[in-house]
Amino acid sequence: MEFILLGFSNVPHLQWVLFVIFLFMYVTILLCNSIIILLAKTDPALQTPMYYFLSNFSFLEICYVTATIPRMLMDLYTLKGNISVLACATQMYFVLMLGGTECLLLTAMAYDRYVAICQPLQYSLLMKNTVCLQLVAASWISGIPIQIGQTYQIFSLPFCASNRIDHFFCDIPPLLKLACGDTFMNTVAVYVVAVGFVMVPFLLIIVSYIKIICNIMKLSSDKGMAKAFSTCSSHLIVVVLFYGTASITYLQPKHSESEGMGRFSLFYAHFDPSFESHYIHSEEQRYHGGTEEIT
């Protein structure tokens, strides 16, 4: 009827310290990303595809952390991790769906940077409003049916052993450890979805950045190179952090899983997009119009 999220129950003496830290981080993420969305919507100078993607990314980050942190804060406050099966399935679905959306949105943002730097003369044509809208819509919608199916598949398994989840939210790896039936097909499905939403977009991003770097190296102006790198560096850093931690969590061999590894690696991935939002915003303000000068 219910599971028990262990979360940080192994450090009860740090309950209030952790509660304050995570509450502060959550409020900070909400405020910073809300400000970015507001600026992108109201400032006429920021009505560009880059900021359209960034505002969607900020909204996604708000949804992403809201799917996990409020529940974790409640568990820290009450020192109880009881969660119903339905609530657990709902949380897992939103985490997986939003995580998949983040992978695809990062790919769309890489494509935007590729077109801006490698094909600047065609930028306004290739990245017009309808194209940006289609890329964002595809990022949000494409993962919905897949993650519904995967969530249903996981919770169709019999859980007849322990009901204690060694995590601070409902996720696939710790739940599969509790299943007492044959989980081979579920594991295969996890790998297939992970490859589709993690590795394929990651390879597309890598190809885009190889072409971007090759193009930047051809620029004769040091100032132009600096501006081009400034609009891409933070995005590339977050891509490495996000895809790296996601790969550690979902693609590591089962026998090599260390206790708590997925918990902290994925938790870390919750916060690196807020770094990207802040960094891209500050760099773009500093080098405003950099792409146009490169053109």
Side-chain angles (χ1 to χ4, degrees):
M1 296 298 294
E2 67 177 12
F3 293 105
I4 299 175
L5 294 168
L6 297 182
F8 300 99
S9 59
N10 58 327
V11 285
H13 56 286
L14 296 178
Q15 170 198 359
W16 292 110
V17 175
L18 292 172
F19 181 87
V20 172
I21 290 174
F22 293 132
L23 178 61
F24 174 77
M25 295 176 74
Y26 181 56
V27 172
T28 301
I29 290 173
L30 293 184
L31 289 177
C32 290
N33 285 283
S34 297
I35 290 172
I36 291 173
I37 294 172
L38 182 62
L39 288 175
K41 296 295 183 183
T42 58
D43 191 340
L46 303 182
Q47 303 303 308
T48 63
M50 177 180 179
Y51 273 92
Y52 176 70
F53 288 121
L54 187 56
S55 61
N56 274 276
F57 195 83
S58 295
F59 176 70
L60 172 64
E61 176 62 7
I62 291 174
C63 297
Y64 198 17
V65 297
T66 300
T68 56
I69 295 185
R71 171 77 208 193
M72 185 185 67
L73 290 174
M74 184 182 73
D75 291 342
L76 283 171
Y77 180 78
T78 62
L79 285 180
K80 296 179 180 179
N82 301 63
I83 183 171
S84 68
V85 173
L86 178 60
C88 188
T90 302
Q91 184 185 58
M92 190 176 80
Y93 162 73
F94 278 106
V95 169
L96 294 177
M97 187 272 290
L98 294 169
T101 300
E102 187 160 344
C103 293
L104 298 178
L105 199 53
L106 284 170
T107 308
M109 295 171 75
Y111 175 70
D112 171 67
R113 292 299 86 202
Y114 162 76
V115 175
I117 294 175
C118 298
Q119 302 184 42
L121 298 179
Q122 302 181 52
Y123 184 75
S124 59
L125 177 64
L126 295 176
M127 297 304 297
K128 54 187 178 181
N129 292 338
T130 53
V131 174
C132 295
L133 179 61
Q134 290 169 354
L135 289 174
V136 169
S139 299
W140 280 95
I141 295 173
S142 59
I144 293 177
I146 295 175
Q147 300 305 345
I148 288 177
Q150 190 165 55
T151 303
Y152 175 79
Q153 185 185 41
I154 294 296
F155 281 88
S156 296
L157 292 169
F159 297 98
C160 55
S162 172
N163 68 336
R164 300 165 68 85
I165 301 176
D166 186 23
H167 215 317
F168 62 87
F169 70 92
C170 294
D171 198 13
I172 293 178
L175 276 168
L176 284 180
K177 291 181 179 180
L178 303 183
C180 56
D182 184 9
T183 62
F184 175 76
M185 292 306 299
N186 301 86
T187 304
V188 170
V190 170
Y191 274 80
V192 170
V193 173
V195 168
F197 279 92
V198 177
M199 298 309 297
V200 173
F202 180 69
L203 291 175
L204 292 175
I205 292 173
I206 292 299
V207 171
S208 298
Y209 271 101
I210 289 175
K211 294 184 177 181
I212 287 173
I213 292 173
C214 291
N215 192 274
I216 290 176
M217 298 306 295
K218 296 178 182 178
L219 296 175
S220 57
S221 168
D222 291 340
K223 186 178 179 181
M225 292 178 64
K227 289 178 178 179
F229 274 119
S230 72
T231 61
C232 300
S233 58
S234 59
H235 177 261
L236 186 58
I237 291 171
V238 172
V239 166
V240 173
L241 291 175
F242 179 79
Y243 282 102
T245 52
S247 298
I248 291 172
T249 303
Y250 294 105
L251 297 181
Q252 61 178 325
K254 188 172 183 179
H255 64 271
S256 67
E257 291 179 2
S258 59
E259 199 71 24
M261 173 66 77
R263 178 195 310 175
F264 291 104
S265 62
L266 194 58
F267 183 71
Y268 181 71
H270 280 11
F271 295 100
D272 58 32
S274 60
F275 157 78
E276 179 188 49
S277 300
H278 171 75
Y279 189 85
I280 289 181
H281 179 65
S282 60
E283 287 296 314
E284 185 68 8
Q285 287 296 90
R286 181 181 176 188
Y287 296 108
H288 186 66
T291 302
E292 289 75 8
E293 289 189 24
I294 294 171
T295 306

